[in-house]
């Protein structure tokens, strides 16, 4: 360059060379100069990339001297890429010399070396399918305790997470290229998702559950302008830099959208807790609708793994009506039902199951515990969510009903949870009319209430009278069934009579047909008593059934003609043959 220097026309001035654009700056030039003057220099993983780029810029090839700086740096770089830690350091230093490092393929060589080492370890590690989590259960079975990331816990148990922290200090473009290289080499989705969750947790403060909502909102800038460091570019910022000065809201929004797009599409590899945290953060940062829809669909596909605490998403809309975002949960639940209520997905509605030969919504060849477990868990989760949002006085009745009606009735083995939510809503909305209360209580199946819930409902003044009557009626039926079973056990203990199968496969105790209200059982009993050898022709059975139908018809006609209920009840007891027994019991009581 000195020899090519052209002196000014006037012949004055010194030969001055400007090397401002040398890769690595003054430090790299100093190392190259020392090498030229045979001064001992120390090569390491932090300076070899810059020195290699500077040597290329200075054209220090073997054409000028054997064993020149380019050759020396290349030889040392091979040793660096053989070690994981040194490869990470070399890749980080590529940020400062990116154009030249890309042209010399140093970035791709570092990424390939890292991906190969991580994938080799991932292939040798055992697979852990389920990670144990500690959850606290509420009285209605809703799990609301803090949950750990299933993917991260599984990775830690299998020893696959040793490289998560090292790669979390890379910039987003470098991290993205590394993850894509790992996917191309066949790394498991669980490992990739675990690394992405770890990386996002270091960068986005709103993902930490112990951070309050107000603190998270403040970290993103309550005025909408974001935090400090607004001039930073999200393409260069790293989590390490984020600890020094907070990135702007726009940078974090770009980061979140890129992370969501980078997540594997396989169901269950990213924990539902993490996805819900990302959704809350996306709402805080006003992420794109496509990003939020992507998160909602992912959450809906694995909603059974969510906890109640994480599902309480604050409402951040411009027209805030309710405390929590009910519409968001409604969409997530709709996505869950659309992903599980179709053909070939393990779930089906009772109507579809009936057409296909199944029963109670269980597909053929599937067990009730395996096929109904996720949707039952979601039903309990929704009942708990409804109970949490019910005290909100701004929550309209149609929105509450719409959310509760999405879950089918067969998904709830017990209706205590939905009853509790309805009761809280009625208590918080005392201005509802009687018709609105009855409309709300149609969501409730009184036959599936527990004894404690029935006791509470029978004394609940907030419920419509029709619902209270239904509760008492079904509880009476349940009591009569229990009494019939008790008589059956007593008869077996006394006479050794076995149970007889009744039509439809049910077991009906002998002598309890009057209690159970089953005339067909009386007909069966008469048939067995009168027929020789316990058998009777079909004609005789049909005749007896016809007689019973005529007798029931005449009883109904007489009851309609009676004006007073007390007289009708006495006639009914005489027809059934109970009058003599009642009279004997009254005589005995008066005698005492």
């Amino acid at each position: 360059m000195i020899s090519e220097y052209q002196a000014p026309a006037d012949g004055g001035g010194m030969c001055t060379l400007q090397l401002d654009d040398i890769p690595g700056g003054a430090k790299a030039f100093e190392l190259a100069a020392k090498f030229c003057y045979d001064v001992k220099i120390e090569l390491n993983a932090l300076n070899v990339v810059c020195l290699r780029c500077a040597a290329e810029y200075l054209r220090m090839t073997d054409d000028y001297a054997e064993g020149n700086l380019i050759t020396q740096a290349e030889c040392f770089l091979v040793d660096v890429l053989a070690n994981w830690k040194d490869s990470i350091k070399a890749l980080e230093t590529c940020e400062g010399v990116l154009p030249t490092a890309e042209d010399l393929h140093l970035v791709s060589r570092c990424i390939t070396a890292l991906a190969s080492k991580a994938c080799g370890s991932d292939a040798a590690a055992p697979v852990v399918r389920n990670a144990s989590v500690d959850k606290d259960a509420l009285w209605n079975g809703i799990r609301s305790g803090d949950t750990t990331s299933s993917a991260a816990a599984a990775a830690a148990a299998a020893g696959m997470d040793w490289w998560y922290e090292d790669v979390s200090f890379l910039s987003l473009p470098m991290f993205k290229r590394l993850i894509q290289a790992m996917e191309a080499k066949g790394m498991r989705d669980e490992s990739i998702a675990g690394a992405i969750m770890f990386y996002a947790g270091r960068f986005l403060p709103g993902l930490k559950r112990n951070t309050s909502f107000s603190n998270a909102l403040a970290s993103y800038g309550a005025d909408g302008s974001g935090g400090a460091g607004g001039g930073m570019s999200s393409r260069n910022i790293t989590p390490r830099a984020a600890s020094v000065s907070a990135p702007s809201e726009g940078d974090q929004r770009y980061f979140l959208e890129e992370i969501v797009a980078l997540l594997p599409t396989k169901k269950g590899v990213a924990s539902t807790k993490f996805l819900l945290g990302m959704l809350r953060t996306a709402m805080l940062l006003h992420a794109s609708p496509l990003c939020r829809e992507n998160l909602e669909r992912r959450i809906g596909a694995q909603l059974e793994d969510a906890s109640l605490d994480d599902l309480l998403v604050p409402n951040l809309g411009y027209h805030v009506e309710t405390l929590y975002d009910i519409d968001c949960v409604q969409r997530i639940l709709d996505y869950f039902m659309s992903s599980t209520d179709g053909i070939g997905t393990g779930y089906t509605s009772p109507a579809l199951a009936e057409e296909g030969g199944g029963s109670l919504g269980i597909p053929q060849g599937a067990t009730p515990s395996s096929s109904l477990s996720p949707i039952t868990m979601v039903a309990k989760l929704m009942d708990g969510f409804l109970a949490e949002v019910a005290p909100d006085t701004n929550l309209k009745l149609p929105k509450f009903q719409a959310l509760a009606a999405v879950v089918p009735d067969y998904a709830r083995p017990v209706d205590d949870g939905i009853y509790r939510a309805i009761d809280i809503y009625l208590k918080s909305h005392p201005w509802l009319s009687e018709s609105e209360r009855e409309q709300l209580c149609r969501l409730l199946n009184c036959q599936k209430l527990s004894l404690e819930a029935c006791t509470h409902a029978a004394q609940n003044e907030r419920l419509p009278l029709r619902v209270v009557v239904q509760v008492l009626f079904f509880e009476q039926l349940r009591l009569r069934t229990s009494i019939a079973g008790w008589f059956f056990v007593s008869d077996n203990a006394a006479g050794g009579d076995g149970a007889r199968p009744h039509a439809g496969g049910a077991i009906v105790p002998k002598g309890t047909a009057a209690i159970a209200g089953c005339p067909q059982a009386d007909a069966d009993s008469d048939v067995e008593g009168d027929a020789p050898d316990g058998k009777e022709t079909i004609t005789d059975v049909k005749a007896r059934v016809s007689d019973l139908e005529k007798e029931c018809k005449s009883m109904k006609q007489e009851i309609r003609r009676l004006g007073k209920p007390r007289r009708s009840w006495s006639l009914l007891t005489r027809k059934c043959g109970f009058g003599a027994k009642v009279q004997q019991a009254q005589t005995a009581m008066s005698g005492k």
Side-chain angles (χ1 to χ4, degrees):
M1 294 175 71
I2 294 175
S3 64
E4 295 172 358
Y5 177 74
Q6 298 259 348
D10 56 4
M14 296 178 59
C15 175
T16 304
L17 299 177
Q18 295 290 340
L19 301 176
D20 295 335
D21 56 347
I22 183 172
K27 290 184 178 180
F29 180 77
E30 181 183 2
L31 291 174
K34 287 182 178 180
F35 176 81
C36 291
Y37 287 93
D38 292 330
V39 178
K40 184 179 180 180
I41 61 175
E42 181 183 355
L43 290 178
N44 54 51
L46 294 175
N47 62 18
V48 65
V49 172
C50 296
L51 193 57
R52 172 67 181 86
C53 294
E56 186 70 22
Y57 177 85
L58 296 172
R59 306 177 213 169
M60 302 178 70
T61 65
D62 288 352
D63 296 338
Y64 298 95
E66 188 177 351
N68 211 340
L69 186 56
I70 291 179
T71 304
Q72 297 290 340
E74 281 289 344
C75 292
F76 186 78
L77 190 60
V78 173
D79 296 334
V80 168
L81 297 181
N83 182 274
W84 171 269
K85 291 286 186 181
D86 291 341
S87 299
I88 287 287
K89 294 176 182 178
L91 183 58
E92 285 182 315
T93 57
C94 288
E95 294 282 353
V97 289
L98 259 185
T100 309
E102 289 285 5
D103 294 339
L104 298 176
H105 305 290
L106 298 179
V107 177
S108 59
R109 288 169 64 185
C110 292
I111 288 176
T112 302
L114 292 170
S116 299
K117 291 178 176 59
C119 290
S121 174
D122 181 73
V127 179
V128 178
R129 294 299 181 189
N130 297 317
S132 60
V133 292
D134 185 17
K135 298 181 179 181
D136 300 323
L138 297 179
W139 69 275
N140 61 348
I142 301 298
R143 299 185 181 274
S144 62
D146 190 18
T147 60
T148 58
S149 166
S150 59
M160 297 185 298
D161 63 339
W162 59 270
W163 53 275
Y164 288 0
E165 186 173 4
D166 293 333
V167 303
S168 66
F169 292 108
L170 297 174
S171 66
L172 179 58
M174 292 296 183
F175 179 80
K176 185 176 179 180
R177 290 178 61 178
L178 179 60
I179 292 297
Q180 291 171 346
M182 290 178 175
E183 288 179 341
K185 288 184 175 294
M187 176 170 280
R188 286 188 290 236
D189 291 336
E190 291 79 4
S191 301
I192 292 176
I196 294 174
M197 289 189 290
F198 192 95
Y199 185 74
R202 294 187 67 114
F203 189 81
L204 296 172
L207 288 180
K208 297 179 181 178
R209 194 56 184 170
N210 54 5
T211 302
S212 64
F213 174 71
S214 58
N215 292 338
L217 187 61
S219 66
Y220 295 114
D223 57 352
S225 60
M232 287 187 175
S233 172
S234 61
R235 291 165 178 78
N236 296 323
I237 192 170
T238 64
R240 185 177 288 150
S243 62
V244 179
S245 60
S248 67
E249 180 181 351
D251 290 336
Q252 296 192 54
R253 179 167 55 246
Y254 172 82
F255 177 88
L256 183 139
E257 292 174 355
E258 288 292 316
I259 287 297
V260 172
L262 197 60
L263 281 170
T265 57
K266 182 180 177 182
K267 174 185 174 182
V269 294
S271 67
T272 311
K273 179 183 180 68
F274 169 79
L275 295 175
L276 283 166
M278 291 286 284
L279 181 59
R280 287 194 305 271
T281 308
M283 292 178 176
L284 283 170
L285 297 174
H286 305 290
S288 65
L290 182 62
C291 175
R292 282 180 285 179
E293 182 184 357
N294 189 356
L295 287 170
E296 289 174 357
R297 286 185 180 276
R298 288 174 182 266
I299 296 168
Q302 54 193 61
L303 184 58
E304 67 273 11
D305 298 327
S307 64
L308 177 59
D309 189 39
D310 293 323
L311 202 62
L312 298 173
V313 180
N315 200 338
L316 301 174
Y318 294 105
H319 304 287
V320 177
E321 295 182 356
T322 57
L323 178 61
Y324 297 109
D325 198 332
I326 310 297
D327 295 332
C328 174
V329 178
Q330 175 90 45
R331 290 191 298 270
I332 291 174
L333 184 58
D334 289 337
Y335 289 140
F336 172 81
M337 295 305 300
S338 63
S339 65
T340 59
D341 206 18
I343 300 175
T345 55
Y347 307 94
T348 182
S349 64
L352 292 176
E354 206 169 314
E355 293 176 5
S359 61
L360 198 59
I362 305 173
Q364 288 183 344
T367 60
S369 59
S370 63
S371 60
L372 290 182
S373 175
I375 198 170
T376 301
M377 294 171 65
V378 170
K380 291 181 179 180
L381 181 65
M382 286 298 107
D383 291 346
F385 179 81
L386 289 169
E388 288 292 331
V389 301
D392 194 342
T393 55
N394 293 326
L395 179 58
K396 304 301 182 183
L397 178 61
K399 186 171 290 189
F400 184 89
Q401 284 181 294
L403 184 59
V406 174
V407 179
D409 181 66
Y410 68 88
R412 294 186 177 98
V414 181
D415 270 22
D416 287 11
I418 188 64
Y419 167 70
R420 175 171 175 261
I422 291 174
D423 183 47
I424 295 174
Y425 188 84
L426 291 175
K427 184 177 180 180
S428 304
H429 300 75
W431 54 84
L432 293 178
S433 63
E434 187 70 18
S435 61
E436 289 176 331
R437 292 171 182 266
E438 290 186 359
Q439 186 179 4
L440 177 61
C441 290
R442 288 173 186 169
L443 300 169
L444 187 64
N445 189 344
C446 299
Q447 300 184 60
K448 296 196 294 185
L449 292 177
S450 65
L451 179 61
E452 292 80 7
C454 286
T455 304
H456 186 277
Q459 305 172 4
N460 194 345
E461 297 178 354
R462 292 182 289 270
L463 295 178
L465 182 61
R466 181 184 62 84
V467 178
V468 176
V469 171
Q470 283 185 354
V471 170
L472 293 174
F473 173 74
F474 289 119
E475 189 59 27
Q476 184 185 20
L477 286 181
R478 193 180 306 174
L479 179 62
R480 292 169 66 182
T481 304
S482 301
I483 294 174
W486 181 79
F487 278 122
F488 175 53
V489 174
S490 301
D491 291 345
N492 283 344
D497 293 339
R500 298 180 293 106
H502 180 248
I507 303 298
V508 179
K510 184 177 181 180
T512 59
I515 299 176
C518 182
Q520 183 64 32
D522 287 338
D524 292 343
S525 178
D526 293 338
V527 168
E528 289 184 3
D530 298 338
D533 300 330
K535 296 181 180 179
E536 194 168 8
T537 61
I538 297 178
T539 305
D540 296 336
V541 173
K542 289 182 178 180
R544 291 182 179 275
V545 170
S546 178
D547 294 340
L548 286 172
E549 290 177 351
K550 292 179 181 178
E551 185 176 352
C552 290
K553 186 176 181 180
S554 61
M555 289 173 59
K556 289 180 181 179
Q557 293 175 353
E558 290 186 35
I559 290 174
R560 290 194 189 96
R561 286 197 299 266
L562 294 175
K564 296 181 180 181
R566 191 174 300 175
R567 184 182 174 189
S568 64
W569 278 109
S570 61
L571 178 62
L572 181 62
T573 53
R574 285 198 301 271
K575 282 284 183 182
C576 296
F578 296 149
K581 295 183 180 180
V582 174
Q583 208 168 20
Q584 290 175 4
Q586 290 177 349
T587 305
M589 291 295 292
S590 61
K592 289 182 180 181

